[in-house]
Amino acid sequence: MRITVDMNLCESHGQCVFAAPDVFSFDDDDFLVYEGRPADALRAHVRSAVSMCPARAISTIDEGEPNATS
């Protein structure tokens, strides 16, 4: 799975950080940072983060299906 975040849409609500803290966090300047290719064991948390984002800024691509997005 590969994650992308449209930083033009991200409003730093932090819902992704709550849903998947091993993948998403804020740096010292309160900018979102994330692991672009998280471990497979974190897929469910990432999918929760995608669905919880109020700005719809997060998308995923399954590595096995290059044209599939969430």
Side-chain angles (χ1 to χ4, degrees):
M1 169 183 285
R2 185 176 49 164
I3 299 171
T4 58
V5 177
D6 184 335
M7 298 308 285
N8 291 317
L9 293 177
C10 179
E11 297 175 354
S12 299
H13 290 286
Q15 297 303 309
C16 56
V17 177
F18 292 117
D22 292 330
V23 179
F24 300 94
S25 62
F26 290 113
D27 66 12
D28 292 338
D29 295 320
D30 292 326
F31 288 106
L32 182 69
V33 293
Y34 62 96
E35 173 62 46
R37 295 180 190 262
D40 286 341
L42 299 172
R43 282 180 181 257
H45 295 286
V46 171
R47 295 209 187 280
S48 291
V50 170
S51 67
M52 292 175 68
C53 179
R56 301 290 182 233
I58 307 168
S59 61
T60 61
I61 298 173
D62 289 322
E63 295 293 329
E65 302 175 32
N67 294 325
T69 59
S70 299

